[in-house]
Amino acid sequence: MTRTAERERCIEERERDRRPAPPAGASRLAVTVHALRHRPVGELSVEDLRLMTGQDVGLAHLLPLAVEILRDDPMAQGDLYEGDLLSAVPTRKPAARNELPRARREPGTAVSGPTGLPPGLAQQAGRFPAR
């Protein structure tokens, strides 16, 4: 399958895991994540990636996309603050990163060159390859 075709598939299709709709009264976060599981990964915004990686959803498919973005702009911003994607990516559970050796190495490479990162982000970025 081509890279373009792969980006047209959503997390639900990629994982072959259909989840029921959240129950009435579910949190806004649960409803949003459920909806994002149905959106083609190539259409996900920085905020969508930040939110989904923060919930450990679809990491095998989303971390490589996040790395691509961070390579171009380590301070990529979703809805929270400048660098919020960089803050979300290195904090993912180690077991998920261990399944992705390429993605585990690349964020460290992507963020090791920029200078002037806020101290908290620089610390998180520096810890990522070691985990």
Side-chain angles (χ1 to χ4, degrees):
M1 186 171 291
T2 68
R3 187 175 186 156
T4 302
E6 194 61 22
R7 289 181 183 234
E8 292 175 1
R9 296 176 60 215
C10 66
I11 294 298
E12 190 169 271
E13 291 170 330
R14 289 167 170 237
E15 293 182 346
R16 296 181 181 145
D17 181 19
R18 294 213 184 278
R19 306 258 171 107
S27 71
R28 181 174 154 210
L29 178 61
V31 171
T32 301
V33 168
H34 180 75
L36 291 174
R37 287 179 49 81
H38 295 89
R39 185 176 297 166
V41 296
E43 294 178 11
L44 296 174
S45 68
V46 170
E47 174 59 13
D48 299 337
L49 289 170
R50 181 202 64 80
L51 191 134
M52 294 194 53
T53 58
Q55 296 301 307
D56 293 323
V57 173
L59 293 179
H61 311 287
L62 300 181
L63 283 180
L65 294 175
V67 168
E68 285 181 29
I69 292 168
L70 292 171
R71 231 187 258 132
D72 292 336
D73 181 8
M75 297 303 289
Q77 180 175 350
D79 289 351
L80 296 179
Y81 53 86
E82 188 176 29
D84 59 4
L85 181 61
L86 176 60
S87 182
V89 168
T91 59
R92 299 315 355 119
K93 57 186 175 187
R97 288 194 315 269
N98 291 339
E99 295 173 17
L100 306 164
R102 180 174 158 242
R104 188 179 67 218
R105 286 190 309 267
E106 289 183 2
T109 302
V111 298
S112 63
T115 57
L117 290 176
L121 289 178
Q123 183 181 18
Q124 286 179 325
R127 285 192 334 239
F128 189 82
R131 284 187 170 179

